[in-house]
Amino acid sequence: MEALKATSFPSFHRPLISTRNPITIFERPMLRIPSLQQVPNSLPIVHSKKIFKIFTAISPTAPSTEESLSPVDEIESQKKEEKFDWYAQWYPVVPICDLDKRRPHAKKVMGLDLVIWWDRNESEWKVFDDSCPHRLAPLSEGRIDQWGRLQCVYHGWCFGGSGDCKFIPQAPRDGPPIHTSQKACVAVYPSCEQNGILWFWPNSDPQYKDIYTKKKPHYIPELDDPSYTNSMICRDMSYGYANADREGGRPLEISIQKLDVNGFTAKQIFGENFFIPPCLYYGFFSPGGGQNDKKTSSAGTKYGISPPVPPQRRALLIFYCIPVSPGNSRLIFASPRNFAVWIERIFPRWIFHIGQNLILDSDLYLLHVEERKLMEVGSLNWHKSCYVPTKADALVVSFRRWLNKYGGTQVDWRNKFSGLLPPTPPREQLFDRYWMHTVSCSSCSVAHKQLQALEIVLQIISVSTIGIVAAAKQGTMTVAARYGLVSMAVLCFLASKWLSHFIYKTFHYHDYDHAFR
């Protein structure tokens, strides 16, 4: 997550992002991040008394104007102040557009194995523990039966939307109703749909069943605004949550205005961007447009905010970085804008994923290696090994400060893992696109199948054409016709070879060599 903050966008607005249906009002003011002003949390929260102002990044040898704490002091301070609870948050799982209602889907978040499936009886997505209570087989390998129940294919046990077992094929029809036992139930996680994304709460305890009425995920109105583009890409990455990155090569005037357990606000020359834990980083920019300081959102008065801002070219940069397991994360990226919207209405989503995947590939190996080096150094000592003297590094420094001070220095995996990172795989596996993205992307998977079919058609045309020319008797076909058919066969063959290469690089594997970029 750290250098998703290192963006090179020139300017950011400061519109107010809201959430719907606020529940309570705090006695103390919360961090002035737009969504946090609008999403009072009914769960008890104690706020940090310290607010950090970071005007430059700090380094072991560079001067700093920052009110700083040493890593040890930060941990000691953390003991006295509120600690971020990794399991009392909403987590994005996957864009809704990439889910197929006809089958269950396997996903991992926070080290938890999940199965996502569409309950047509309740007309909503369900998130279960991906484990059948019978013999612990993965329910994600099952199916949706004719009655709309989730069925384990190992021994046929069927489950309803509340996790209750509906049918055990091996149970005698005239015997006791053993399927009603609590031991036959599957753990159900609270879930909701928002901004075109499926979210889940990583605690299946029944006391959290109605958590959505008390605390909601951060809401970004522009993702639901029809005047904005809304294309998303989701991809699993072979580096951890704390190392999600974006490269940037220009001087940036960045200062951190406020930092506490609820995240931080970063101010640039023309506006602000925000980190809202555990997963969200976003900001606004207006290419070629004037700046506007009104605190509003594109949703206008629909969500009880002030009137909408005057029409202008506006875009957002939105990253969700989701912890999957040590050394692995999932990125959901969107950049909605209210100009040139027609482009995304004409071209399919997979066309845009070509460029977005290249961007993600550009940093993949660098971050994979960086994560292992930082682990050797230790979370509390990263600053001694990294030289971060410029203001452009302020966001990275602040994220590390937040993680050390409030997040316990790393994601709380609750002892599900050994703490070691997985070994570095071959580059073909590290840069794999097929299993990390194509298979689970509704647009790319369809395009992959269609282009493969086109490749086969071109090969058939090429071979068939040569066969026709060879079988034609002398004199039954003019010389021009023969040359024409042979030329078509050659062109179809070359086109199939080019298409095969394009399919492989676009949907399977594309090595990124910085020396030739």
Side-chain angles (χ1 to χ4, degrees):
M1 177 69 82
E2 71 174 30
L4 283 176
K5 327 296 183 295
T7 176
S8 58
F9 282 119
S11 62
F12 290 84
H13 275 300
R14 189 183 178 182
L16 185 62
I17 302 296
S18 67
T19 49
R20 294 169 283 191
N21 303 327
I23 305 300
T24 58
I25 298 178
F26 285 103
E27 295 180 359
R28 299 184 186 183
M30 296 186 70
L31 174 67
R32 294 181 65 82
I33 293 177
S35 69
L36 298 179
Q37 292 178 337
Q38 301 298 322
V39 193
N41 185 348
S42 62
L43 303 178
I45 289 182
V46 180
H47 291 282
S48 168
K49 295 181 180 179
K50 291 200 174 195
I51 296 178
F52 298 91
K53 292 186 178 180
I54 304 176
F55 299 100
T56 64
I58 58 174
S59 69
T61 58
S64 172
T65 58
E66 178 195 42
E67 296 178 31
S68 62
L69 293 176
S70 71
V72 175
D73 291 337
E74 287 182 356
I75 298 301
E76 290 299 319
S77 178
Q78 176 183 321
K79 296 177 182 178
K80 301 175 184 178
E81 301 178 54
E82 183 185 8
K83 183 178 179 181
F84 183 77
D85 188 346
W86 293 90
Y87 290 85
Q89 315 293 331
W90 286 100
Y91 286 84
V93 184
V94 63
I96 297 294
C97 62
D98 288 331
L99 293 175
D100 187 343
K101 293 181 179 180
R102 301 171 299 174
R103 57 165 302 160
H105 303 264
K107 292 293 178 183
K108 185 189 286 287
V109 178
M110 292 292 290
L112 300 172
D113 290 312
L114 310 175
V115 57
I116 302 164
W117 64 286
W118 176 255
D119 181 5
R120 70 168 183 253
N121 296 311
E122 298 186 25
S123 297
E124 61 184 17
W125 291 101
K126 300 291 185 179
V127 179
F128 284 10
D129 181 34
D130 193 11
S131 180
C132 180
H134 179 216
R135 298 274 291 277
L136 307 183
L139 292 170
S140 57
E141 291 296 317
R143 64 172 69 94
I144 310 299
D145 71 7
Q146 57 184 324
W147 293 282
R149 304 173 302 191
L150 177 63
Q151 183 182 56
C152 176
V153 293
Y154 194 24
H155 293 97
W157 288 34
C158 298
F159 304 92
S162 59
D164 55 320
C165 184
K166 297 292 188 180
F167 178 60
I168 299 178
Q170 298 81 12
R173 302 297 183 269
D174 55 353
I178 58 176
H179 67 280
T180 60
S181 170
Q182 286 293 322
K183 292 183 178 180
C185 295
V186 181
V188 181
Y189 295 99
S191 60
C192 67
E193 294 182 38
Q194 183 169 284
N195 284 146
I197 297 172
L198 179 66
W199 301 71
F200 98 113
W201 184 271
N203 196 321
S204 60
D205 192 298
Q207 67 174 309
Y208 297 105
K209 180 180 179 181
D210 299 320
I211 189 64
Y212 184 74
T213 63
K214 303 173 184 177
K215 181 177 181 178
K216 295 177 173 58
H218 182 85
Y219 180 65
I220 300 180
E222 283 77 3
L223 286 176
D224 290 338
D225 191 331
S227 66
Y228 281 74
T229 60
N230 62 358
S231 178
M232 291 185 182
I233 183 172
C234 179
R235 180 172 168 181
D236 289 349
M237 307 300 291
S238 297
Y239 51 72
Y241 159 87
N243 286 80
D245 204 341
R246 276 296 303 118
E247 58 184 332
R250 65 167 66 185
L252 297 173
E253 293 291 327
I254 302 176
S255 63
I256 305 302
Q257 299 301 293
K258 296 177 182 177
L259 185 153
D260 68 10
V261 70
N262 297 304
F264 58 79
T265 301
K267 184 173 180 59
Q268 297 193 38
I269 295 176
F270 298 106
E272 297 176 334
N273 44 24
F274 311 96
F275 166 61
I276 300 175
C279 298
L280 174 61
Y281 167 76
Y282 72 97
F284 297 78
F285 70 101
S286 184
Q291 304 300 323
N292 189 307
D293 292 329
K294 281 190 177 182
K295 296 182 180 180
T296 183
S297 73
S298 64
T301 57
K302 179 179 179 181
Y303 298 105
I305 316 300
S306 55
V309 297
Q312 59 181 355
R313 292 160 56 93
R314 299 176 63 241
L316 291 81
L317 176 68
I318 302 171
F319 284 99
Y320 295 96
C321 184
I322 306 155
V324 173
S325 62
N328 294 282
S329 59
R330 182 174 304 116
L331 297 184
I332 300 178
F333 165 70
S335 185
R337 63 182 186 278
N338 65 353
F339 56 92
V341 177
W342 61 271
I343 296 177
E344 290 194 13
R345 293 175 180 170
I346 293 177
F347 295 99
R349 190 161 63 112
W350 69 270
I351 293 291
F352 302 99
H353 287 183
I354 295 175
Q356 292 166 342
N357 272 317
L358 277 175
I359 292 173
L360 296 176
D361 283 339
S362 68
D363 294 327
L364 198 161
Y365 183 74
L366 308 179
L367 296 174
H368 180 86
V369 173
E370 175 192 7
E371 181 176 23
R372 280 144 182 79
K373 291 183 177 180
L374 287 176
M375 189 170 187
E376 293 175 1
V377 172
S379 299
L380 298 178
N381 297 317
W382 78 275
H383 216 291
K384 297 178 182 179
S385 299
C386 298
Y387 182 55
V388 284
T390 68
K391 293 182 179 181
D393 296 316
L395 294 170
V396 178
V397 173
S398 298
F399 173 73
R400 286 290 173 181
R401 184 176 300 282
W402 176 88
L403 190 62
N404 287 342
K405 182 175 176 59
Y406 298 105
T409 73
Q410 63 178 352
V411 176
D412 181 7
W413 301 111
R414 290 192 172 176
N415 300 317
K416 292 188 286 288
F417 302 98
S418 66
L420 300 176
L421 294 174
T424 298
R427 290 183 73 91
E428 290 79 4
Q429 184 178 341
L430 189 65
F431 285 88
D432 169 74
R433 289 187 182 180
Y434 186 75
W435 294 108
M436 296 294 191
H437 171 70
T438 302
V439 166
S440 57
C441 174
S442 60
S443 182
C444 289
S445 60
V446 170
H448 180 254
K449 293 176 183 177
Q450 292 176 342
L451 291 176
Q452 279 187 321
L454 178 58
E455 178 190 354
I456 294 173
V457 169
L458 290 172
Q459 292 172 350
I460 292 174
I461 293 174
S462 178
V463 173
S464 300
T465 304
I466 293 296
I468 293 172
V469 173
K473 293 182 179 180
Q474 191 73 20
T476 60
M477 184 180 297
T478 65
V479 174
R482 283 179 180 275
Y483 279 117
L485 288 175
V486 170
S487 298
M488 184 174 70
V490 171
L491 289 175
C492 286
F493 175 76
L494 293 176
S496 70
K497 285 298 183 181
W498 177 87
L499 188 57
S500 176
H501 180 69
F502 175 80
I503 291 172
Y504 185 71
K505 291 187 67 173
T506 302
F507 302 110
H508 288 265
Y509 166 69
H510 181 93
D511 195 4
Y512 198 98
D513 190 343
H514 287 268
F516 297 100
R517 291 283 174 177

